Amino acid sequence: MNKKGLSEKEVLNLLNKAMQKDTSYEKVLSAMCTRPHPIAVKAHMQFIASNMGDFGLFSGTRELESKVIKMMGNLLGDPNACGYITTGGTESNIQALRTARNQSKKKHPNVIVPASAHFSFDKIADLLGIEIRKASLDSEFKVDMDSVNALLDDNTIALVGIAGSTEFGQVDPIDSLAEIALSNNLFLHVDAAFGGFVIPFLDKKYDFDFSVEGVTSITADPHKMGLSTIPAGGLLFREEACLLPLEIDTPYLTIRKQHSLAGTRSGAAAAAAYAVMTHLGMEGYRKLVHSCMKMTHRLVEGVREFGIEPLIEPVMNIVALDVPDLEEVRKELRQKGWITSITRTPRAMRLIIMPHMSEAALLMFISDFGECLRNTKK
Ligand code: PLP
């Protein structure tokens, strides 16, 4: 640290310099986060000092958090769901499986996840001492039910289904997973970190949430397609009893118990999620998702003209393209400013059409993509 403090102007200059090195979202096709809605930013600033780690001091913010959970419960098939605003999908997934582990009391617990599961489940294996078993995927990148059944044994404590997989945007057959969960008395967690704010607004209906009997918990993140500020994840349980295995005594706070993983946690995130959800409403999110889906279909149409096919017809605003000379094409696109990413198996170009993408930028991407393809073929 510098010995003497700098002036505000000097500090702001330093911040501006640092910000210039950050990538602005315009040409980013790899991110699951986006620019937050302006009303979320306003609410975030207003509640910047609020700490949900000691919510006895911040009962107004706590009310907002409860309202967010209520709105999310309504969105995800159970108005009586309970939970809290986490730091993101990772914390929500950790906490859901921590509940499953603590409830089961098995000595060598295992959890079956699809091979498409987000890497947060590898962190969970390490943190919670749970064996994570990866079930294979079918030709459409949904979890293969035969594989799930084959991995099941007496030490299985939970199943995980993904509603909006990170790489393919695919939705697992949650109803089939629920049947197995119910008949084996297993915890069923649905990771809808991305899909939670997309699937309810698609034209096609999917059974993926608490409306499916047997679903125990859901991850759904306001800081992804919810357009809220970072860090705002959502963890919802069907039963209040699921929060009990997470509870810890907090003798020196204004509250007696805490069930979050983080201690001090952002009240600003809860206020921001409340603000944007209340402001957009169901109609606003529907429009947003429709616009992203329209651009997603336009993208697929555009690349098909170059003979490029998606691995699956896009379910949501995530596309995996089968591109020859993938790394070369990505490198060329990078030189034109476009940030793309990849899927693991099979290796394909992964593109996410987030609300920060404009139609003009998308058309420019399609044109640049065609040019890069032609250049790499030369
Ligand atoms: N689950 C899924 C399906 C995701 O796509 C992601 C992130 O992309 C996560 C969990 C982790 O979320 P976070 O980065 O907010 O911890």
Side-chain angles (χ1 to χ4, degrees):
M1 202 187 299
N2 34 301
K3 200 166 171 200
K4 257 184 124 192
L6 301 184
S7 70
E8 183 178 311
K9 196 171 165 206
E10 285 167 318
V11 174
L12 292 177
N13 262 337
L14 291 175
L15 293 182
N16 281 337
K17 266 194 200 145
M19 200 161 192
Q20 275 162 20
K21 293 186 195 158
D22 286 358
T23 307
S24 99
Y25 272 116
E26 276 87 31
K27 289 185 147 187
V28 175
L29 285 151
S30 62
M32 294 191 130
C33 288
T34 188
R35 271 188 220 106
H37 193 287
I39 202 163
V41 178
K42 276 191 187 153
H44 195 107
M45 295 307 293
Q46 190 178 354
F47 285 78
I48 199 75
S50 165
N51 172 17
M52 285 295 87
D54 194 3
F55 56 75
L57 290 175
F58 303 98
S59 52
T61 322
R62 177 64 170 170
E63 267 176 33
L64 296 181
E65 180 177 36
S66 305
K67 285 180 180 170
V68 172
I69 295 301
K70 184 105 193 139
M71 284 191 271
M72 289 182 68
N74 265 305
L75 184 67
L76 299 171
D78 184 357
N80 297 317
C82 59
Y84 73 98
I85 304 292
T86 65
T87 52
T90 301
E91 179 179 341
S92 301
N93 288 341
I94 292 171
Q95 291 287 79
L97 292 193
R98 199 171 143 220
T99 291
R101 185 200 63 178
N102 292 357
Q103 279 180 339
S104 86
K105 299 194 169 58
K106 296 249 188 218
K107 271 197 178 150
H108 303 288
N110 70 67
V111 171
I112 303 172
V113 308
S116 53
H118 182 260
F119 53 76
S120 48
F121 291 95
D122 296 324
K123 296 184 186 176
I124 288 170
D126 188 35
L127 280 168
L128 299 183
I130 292 175
E131 182 195 349
I132 296 291
R133 297 186 171 179
K134 297 192 177 171
S136 52
L137 306 181
D138 66 14
S139 59
E140 296 227 282
F141 306 106
K142 295 180 198 172
V143 71
D144 181 87
M145 295 311 297
D146 290 337
S147 177
V148 172
N149 275 310
L151 292 171
L152 199 70
D153 68 16
D154 288 346
N155 285 321
T156 304
I157 58 163
L159 305 179
V160 172
I162 317 288
S165 58
T166 313
E167 290 161 285
F168 306 105
Q170 186 54 283
V171 182
D172 285 325
I174 304 299
D175 45 358
S176 306
L177 289 168
E179 269 176 40
I180 305 180
L182 285 171
S183 54
N184 292 276
N185 199 21
L186 298 174
F187 191 104
L188 173 56
H189 176 62
V190 175
D191 182 356
F194 188 79
F197 280 86
V198 179
I199 303 169
F201 306 108
L202 292 172
D203 291 337
K204 187 169 170 192
K205 293 292 151 236
Y206 290 87
D207 293 326
F208 78 103
D209 58 15
F210 289 122
S211 59
V212 180
E213 193 193 342
V215 170
T216 322
S217 57
I218 302 181
T219 290
D221 289 351
H223 72 197
K224 295 190 171 75
M225 282 293 286
L227 251 54
S228 199
T229 51
I230 298 170
L235 170 62
L236 273 78
F237 292 108
R238 191 193 289 275
E239 307 276 345
E240 197 133 3
C242 284
L243 286 168
L244 296 179
L246 302 175
E247 267 185 7
I248 235 64
D249 287 337
T250 52
Y252 48 83
L253 300 182
T254 58
I255 49 173
R256 306 235 323 260
K257 290 187 188 300
Q258 191 179 79
H259 45 249
S260 52
L261 184 60
T264 298
R265 84 192 156 87
S266 167
Y274 173 80
V276 64
M277 288 173 75
T278 310
H279 182 65
L280 287 179
M282 297 291 284
E283 267 317 304
Y285 280 115
R286 188 163 287 123
K287 272 192 198 149
L288 194 78
V289 167
H290 274 214
S291 151
C292 290
M293 288 310 294
K294 198 172 146 206
M295 284 198 282
T296 304
H297 293 309
R298 178 70 189 85
L299 170 65
V300 171
E301 215 179 272
V303 299
R304 276 197 165 121
E305 286 181 16
F306 309 129
I308 298 297
E309 284 295 321
L311 297 187
I312 52 167
E313 282 305 318
V315 173
M316 50 188 75
N317 46 333
I318 300 177
V319 186
L321 297 176
D322 186 10
V323 178
D325 303 317
L326 176 61
E327 282 316 320
E328 275 305 298
V329 176
R330 289 187 64 223
K331 215 186 283 169
E332 287 235 358
L333 283 168
R334 183 72 190 86
Q335 275 161 16
K336 292 179 184 290
W338 298 105
I339 317 280
T340 63
S341 67
I342 50 156
T343 61
R344 290 167 294 179
T345 321
R347 248 178 148 66
M349 184 182 289
R350 169 179 172 262
L351 303 170
I352 310 163
I353 316 303
M354 292 299 284
H356 56 250
M357 188 56 41
S358 68
E359 273 189 49
L362 184 84
L363 293 180
M364 198 198 299
F365 174 77
I366 296 171
S367 158
D368 284 350
F369 179 82
E371 194 185 320
C372 294
L373 269 184
R374 286 190 293 276
N375 287 347
T376 52
K377 272 188 200 150
K378 275 180 197 162

